[in-house]
Amino acid sequence: MAAHRTRLVAVANEKGGVGKTAMVVNLASALALENQKVLVVDMDPQHNAGTGLGVEITDGVRSVYDLITDPRAGAFNEVVTPTKWKGLDLIPSHIDLAGAEIELVDEEGRENRLKEALADIIDHYDIVLMDTPPSLSLLTINVFAAAREVLIPCQTQPYAFHALEGLFDTIADVKAEINPDLEICGIVPTFFDQRTRISRDILDRLRSDERYRELVFNTLIRTNTAIAESADAGRPVVSHRTSSYGAADFKALAREFLVRRPA
């Protein structure tokens, strides 16, 4: 692959239920359709990103847990799992990842374990999308330390909107103390339903708030049952329900993402 600067993107929100993992899975697959070489790194112990990509997590398979607990585990061909879709690979998670924070509590440089482990892997890709747990933890900090960009899915509901302030504070703290290269790529409104007043109101507030308005993507991820059905089938919506609103939205998001860079 020609020399290039890989985009290292944390997909994060400290509030659960905002469509974070669905964004990782479906944006990654839509980017692969745009001829991008994409790696998904699943840093959530629930390993839903792997499930959504149809990858069965079995005992003996190298996972991101091995990467951050054993510095010698980072050989490309040992930790990267190809998916069924051309140009899209996965470093899977494992339930053992839930205990990694305790295991690393006394380790020096524990916040940079993921960054160090990925150093020899990322150059194989155009884009690395990293899924995060729905809470602030050492796992999340590891992702922020490794990333250059943060992509924020925000459910168009009041609780998700109000949670943005805390997330922005966390990102600012990581930027100041750990990773000066970290920037916010943008905010993607999710679960948007034009029929409901509250959904329209939260979108208006995102687009008018001086803290957020320049960061809000034009693309909306609309409420669409095809996205959930695709996750249940272990397939990205752009492959499983190609004519659905969900597929159209994620394809549009991929195109906008490719031309949008942090300020």
Side-chain angles (χ1 to χ4, degrees), residues 139-198:
L139 301 179
T140 307
I141 297 301
N142 260 261
V143 173
F144 286 161
R148 299 190 187 110
E149 307 175 37
V150 184
L151 184 64
I152 303 171
C154 180
Q155 183 184 22
T156 48
Q157 292 291 326
Y159 289 152
F161 176 80
H162 294 305
L164 286 176
E165 184 174 358
L167 178 61
F168 272 52
D169 288 344
T170 297
I171 294 169
D173 289 343
V174 172
K175 182 177 174 66
E177 302 293 335
I178 299 173
N179 181 4
D181 295 328
L182 190 64
E183 302 288 348
I184 296 174
C185 172
I187 301 168
V188 182
T190 60
F191 293 99
F192 179 71
D193 188 342
Q194 177 65 39
R195 298 168 299 179
T196 67
R197 180 194 58 78
I198 193 63

Side-chain angles (χ1 to χ4, degrees), residues 209-221:
D209 191 301
E210 63 180 12
R211 299 167 295 179
Y212 310 136
R213 61 190 178 198
E214 298 300 322
L215 294 168
V216 179
F217 273 66
N218 294 319
T219 304
L220 309 173
I221 305 302

